[in-house]
Amino acid sequence: MCDPVPLPSTPEDPVGSDVPPELAEAARALFGDRLDLAVAYAEMLVTDGVARGLIGPREAPRIWERHLLNCAVVSELVPLDAFLIDVGSGAGLPGVVLALARPDLSVTLIESMARRAAFLAEVVEKLGLDRVTVVRGRAEDRTGPVRDVPPADVVTARAVASLDRLAAWCLPLAAVGGRLLAIKGASAADEVEAHRALIGRLGGADPVIRHCGVGLIDPPAVVVEIVKTREVAPRSAASRRERATTPARARAARRDVRRGRRSR
């Protein structure tokens, strides 16, 4: 695809001053006839989102370049009519963006913080996103509200945690054959190398680094894709405590043996 060509705007055109002219073609390609909804969402981010501490004030001028378009291009990795869970959704990146760009998707936004979950609920209501649900809870808490969320075709996460923690939280939420799409940056290759073995133990296939939006945005979005190949039994709290205390018990047993030998 050639370099984006700025499109003329009219008073009825939602691009106008809201989308930088150099990004107009990409915005139209990604959001289509729902671009007006994306503009309304951007307005909520740079006003209420900043005021409520969900978006840094320095991010407001680059909300399209660094956030909306960077998230929207990930839709190329999402199958048609998929059920998607966005973990640690925050202000709705990428979950809300993907719901706007892909009206065929059913999306559940998981967010643990009350003020963020409240903002997401307001966004869903204001934009009329009837295929988006907000769940307040932690992805790793299988006893809370998240336990009632069905397995997903796709689980997304952006700027939430390191890849090993994301895999531990997100892969259990995916159906077998589903995938985790972790939006990363320059650290993607190093994280994949460092956590490849653990991801395998968690039921994930070998991670693959994808570049989304090539020829549409610059730089492209970097996404680590991990397909879930099998179910892995969850570790109970008791078993974790047992594993944590086993080395200490072993050391204590060795000390007892040595003391017994010295007392003879």
Side-chain angles (χ1 to χ4, degrees):
M1 182 179 293
C2 61
D3 292 336
V5 177
L7 300 178
S9 61
T10 66
E12 294 78 23
D13 192 339
V15 174
S17 62
D18 294 287
V19 181
E22 68 275 14
L23 302 177
E25 183 175 327
R28 290 185 187 281
L30 292 166
F31 292 104
D33 60 6
R34 289 162 69 89
L35 181 56
D36 57 338
L37 291 178
V39 170
Y41 175 52
E43 181 68 16
M44 294 184 74
L45 288 176
V46 301
T47 53
D48 290 350
V50 171
R52 293 155 75 166
L54 306 180
I55 295 289
R58 294 183 179 180
E59 297 303 307
R62 48 190 182 180
I63 197 72
W64 285 94
E65 177 185 2
R66 287 177 59 92
H67 299 286
L68 298 186
L69 300 184
N70 183 263
C71 291
V73 294
V74 178
S75 65
E76 67 187 58
L77 298 178
V78 181
L80 187 68
D81 296 324
F83 170 50
L84 183 146
I85 295 175
D86 186 32
V87 170
S89 195
L93 304 167
V96 169
V97 176
L98 291 171
L100 290 170
R102 291 280 303 278
D104 59 291
L105 303 179
S106 297
V107 177
T108 291
L109 310 174
I110 295 179
E111 174 52 53
S112 62
M113 294 187 64
R115 62 187 176 89
R116 293 176 179 172
F119 175 79
L120 292 172
E122 292 170 20
V123 168
V124 168
E125 181 178 4
K126 181 173 181 178
L127 300 183
L129 302 178
D130 55 4
R131 300 190 67 177
V132 178
T133 303
V134 179
V135 173
R136 187 186 168 200
R138 295 184 178 277
E140 66 271 28
D141 184 3
R142 302 294 183 265
T143 63
V146 175
R147 69 181 175 184
D148 297 323
V149 179
D153 303 302
V154 177
V155 182
T156 57
R158 180 179 189 252
V160 173
S162 58
L163 192 59
D164 56 333
R165 295 170 68 190
L166 285 180
W169 297 341
C170 297
L171 284 176
L173 299 175
V176 173
R179 65 206 60 220
L180 164 62
L181 301 178
I183 304 177
K184 288 289 183 178
S187 66
D190 291 339
E191 289 196 54
V192 165
E193 189 60 32
H195 304 303
R196 191 187 306 273
L198 174 61
I199 290 168
R201 293 195 295 272
L202 292 170
D206 199 39
V208 178
I209 297 177
R210 307 287 190 190
H211 294 85
C212 299
V214 175
L216 196 60
I217 63 171
D218 185 23
V222 179
V223 180
V224 178
E225 179 182 37
I226 303 172
V227 175
K228 181 174 178 176
T229 59
R230 70 186 192 284
E231 294 288 357
V232 175
R235 297 178 178 180
S236 67
S239 66
R240 287 196 296 270
R241 286 195 297 271
E242 178 69 22
R243 279 190 294 272
T245 57
T246 295
R249 289 180 177 178
R251 289 192 295 271
R254 288 194 294 270
R255 286 197 299 269
D256 291 342
V257 169
R258 290 195 294 269
R259 288 170 182 167
R261 289 173 178 171
R262 288 196 293 270
S263 63
R264 291 174 183 172

